[in-house]
Amino acid sequence: MGTHDRTRAAARDLETRLGPGRVSTSGPAYDQTIRIWNGAVTHRPAVIVHCATPSDVQAAVDAARTHGLPLSVRAGGHDWAGRSLRHDGLVVDLAAMTSVAVDPDASVATVSGGATVAHVIAAAAPHGLFAVTGTVGHVGMAGLTLGGGYGPLGGRFGLALDNLLAAEVVLADGRLVIADETRESELFWALRGGGGNFGVVTSMRLRLHEIPGLLAGLIVYPWSQAGSVLRGFADLIASAPDELTVQTGVLSGPDGSPTLFLSPAWSGPPSEGAKHIDELTRLGTPLLSQVAPMSYAEMLGLFDAHIAVGRHYSIRTRSLPAYTPEAIDAMVFAGDARTSPLSGIAVHHFHGAAAAVPPGDTAFGERRDHFAAEIVAAWEPDGDGGAHRAWAGAVSSALEPCALPGGYPNLLGPDDRDQAEVAYGGNAGRLRAAKRRYDPDAVFSAIPLPHTD
């Protein structure tokens, strides 16, 4: 039976089980689902199942296996490599599963599998609570959490995955299980860093936090000062308190030329934050310094203009133990050599509470203090991406000699096999065993794992 026949059979079976309007092979609902963040992805799934409940997800997983269709899961649709859309496959679409229920007394949110970071922050804010997230609001919360989750609260509260308390998961055999410290504990371990490679997470319980306020914003320096500012920053940030997490990187100024940015987030006592921000603004002569008390949602909006949906993107990543002179030289090269004013680099700061977790406690493999560089080549859809992809590759190569082994798995692409093999450090063998136990037929394929054969 060919793909077309298998698709028709799967669609018929699913329509019978789920009812009309829940399965699409073309049309407006189909087109909406395949519109993801990276417009360069042109995958065309064979069938999309628009799920509203865990039982819908179970039906979709069963249909994919029964009819021999490759399966993928679409939540936020922000994976740059487009792995949420399997070409000629069956897509489990969680876009309708966005509910977030907050228990303010327990400081816990129950988050459905399709909810974005923005959904979670909006639900927690009325209770004076915050979730540990990444830096972008429209990223899917589940995908971010399962692969890691660097963000502005990382120094104080760890990665997003460090705040995962439990997950409801549909496994490859169709079972719906709860994974936490006492139930399916090995699956719970693997989910925290191994990504969506073990099942479909239909909901999660996340720890929330109360903080006195956020002092956040942007400090932008002219590119001519990039080297000297980064050298000063390297000395300053080495002794940063847990309450201060600073994203750094390269963005375009109004005229399209590169600038160096620092984006601090202070989550400690408000009276102490100004001192640390002043130190950052004295590293050079800023073009712009706008750091002020703001809501979490406002902080997440700082970079919205630079991550527009539908542009074409290609990403590489390296993790740096420090801003060494060699790493700073590579960053300056990156800005000088950019081929598109839309391209940039975001360097995520990993320290404090995130680094205090023992490496074996979760599948996430790198617990040393470091900086995770997200090298983002971006261009408009009518452009030729070859030169821009080459720029990202050249920057990755320039950083490699001063980088840690591996890299951030959530950003590794399908061609980054050598980095993926060592990205999980000493956890690789245990992660491979978990994959064989929970998904022996490799039904799920998300972020790269170490070789499992």
Side-chain angles (χ1 to χ4, degrees):
M1 184 182 292
T3 300
H4 180 68
D5 293 332
R6 293 198 302 273
T7 299
R8 291 181 61 187
R12 283 196 305 268
D13 287 356
L14 285 163
E15 286 169 351
T16 298
R17 293 181 65 174
L18 304 182
R22 307 294 295 283
V23 181
S24 63
T25 56
S26 63
Y30 178 97
D31 293 340
Q32 178 64 30
T33 300
I34 67 171
R35 185 175 183 265
I36 58 175
W37 174 65
N38 187 359
V41 175
T42 58
H43 302 166
R44 300 284 300 185
V47 59
I48 297 174
V49 186
H50 307 285
C51 298
T53 67
S55 62
D56 294 348
V57 175
Q58 290 175 291
V61 171
D62 179 64
R65 298 205 65 165
T66 299
H67 298 284
L69 292 174
L71 182 145
S72 63
V73 181
R74 187 203 187 285
H78 208 273
D79 172 41
W80 74 269
R83 286 167 287 214
S84 60
L85 304 177
R86 288 292 293 272
H87 189 69
D88 285 339
L90 184 149
V91 174
V92 179
D93 176 24
L94 303 181
M97 299 175 64
T98 61
S99 66
V100 180
V102 174
D103 181 343
D105 295 327
S107 295
V108 170
T110 301
V111 180
S112 292
T116 64
V117 166
H119 288 130
V120 178
I121 293 304
H127 305 284
L129 296 170
F130 299 81
V132 175
T133 74
T135 57
V136 178
H138 56 75
V139 168
M141 191 69 198
L144 170 83
T145 301
L146 299 180
Y150 293 77
L153 299 181
R156 188 162 181 194
F157 300 120
L159 295 168
L161 66 81
D162 296 323
N163 293 274
L164 179 65
L165 300 174
E168 179 184 76
V169 189
V170 175
L171 298 176
D173 61 10
R175 288 184 295 140
L176 182 67
V177 301
I178 302 296
D180 58 20
E181 291 286 5
T182 59
R183 296 168 291 181
E184 300 289 355
S185 58
E186 193 64 10
L187 175 61
F188 185 56
W189 177 88
L191 289 172
R192 289 175 293 162
N197 287 294
F198 304 92
V200 184
V201 172
T202 51
S203 73
M204 307 180 295
R205 295 181 70 246
L206 300 176
R207 182 184 296 109
L208 301 177
H209 301 274
E210 185 175 357
I211 57 178
L214 279 171
L215 186 62
L218 281 172
I219 305 166
V220 180
Y221 286 99
W223 192 245
S224 59
Q225 298 178 29
S228 61
V229 169
L230 284 175
R231 286 190 289 273
F233 176 76
D235 294 335
L236 186 65
I237 206 65
S239 58
D242 293 357
E243 294 87 351
L244 179 67
T245 296
V246 185
Q247 186 180 6
T248 49
V250 183
L251 288 176
S252 285
D255 63 354
S257 62
T259 65
L260 176 73
F261 77 88
L262 310 182
S263 183
W266 171 260
S267 59
S271 60
E272 299 178 19
K275 175 189 72 172
H276 298 284
I277 303 305
D278 287 345
E279 290 176 334
L280 294 173
T281 59
R282 291 199 300 267
L283 293 172
T285 305
L287 296 168
L288 171 73
S289 179
Q290 292 184 344
V291 181
M294 62 177 62
S295 70
Y296 206 110
E298 290 171 330
M299 180 176 62
L300 292 176
L302 289 172
F303 296 98
D304 280 354
H306 302 281
I307 51 168
V309 175
R311 283 180 184 157
H312 288 196
Y313 297 94
S314 182
I315 293 181
R316 301 294 300 275
T317 185
R318 294 287 178 184
S319 294
L320 309 170
Y323 263 122
T324 62
E326 295 79 13
I328 293 170
D329 288 346
M331 288 287 289
V332 173
F333 159 76
D336 289 340
R338 280 192 323 164
T339 56
S340 166
L342 301 176
S343 296
I345 301 177
V347 183
H348 305 283
H349 183 197
F350 184 99
H351 73 127
V357 177
D361 280 11
T362 66
F364 187 87
E366 187 54 78
R367 290 293 183 172
R368 290 171 284 187
D369 283 9
H370 65 270
F371 297 88
E374 183 176 357
I375 307 157
V376 184
W379 62 99
E380 295 294 358
D382 57 356
D384 180 2
H388 311 309
R389 292 187 179 96
W391 169 81
V395 175
S396 176
S397 295
L399 289 171
E400 182 178 9
C402 48
L404 296 168
Y408 180 25
N410 248 0
L411 297 178
L412 291 174
D415 296 327
D416 297 325
R417 295 307 317 175
D418 290 345
Q419 286 181 259
E421 287 299 318
V422 293
Y424 297 91
N427 294 330
R430 185 176 173 185
L431 197 56
R432 285 192 290 263
K435 179 66 171 176
R436 289 192 296 268
R437 175 177 174 181
Y438 289 102
D439 186 21
D441 298 322
V443 171
F444 299 103
S445 177
I447 61 175
L449 291 179
H451 192 62
T452 56
D453 287 351

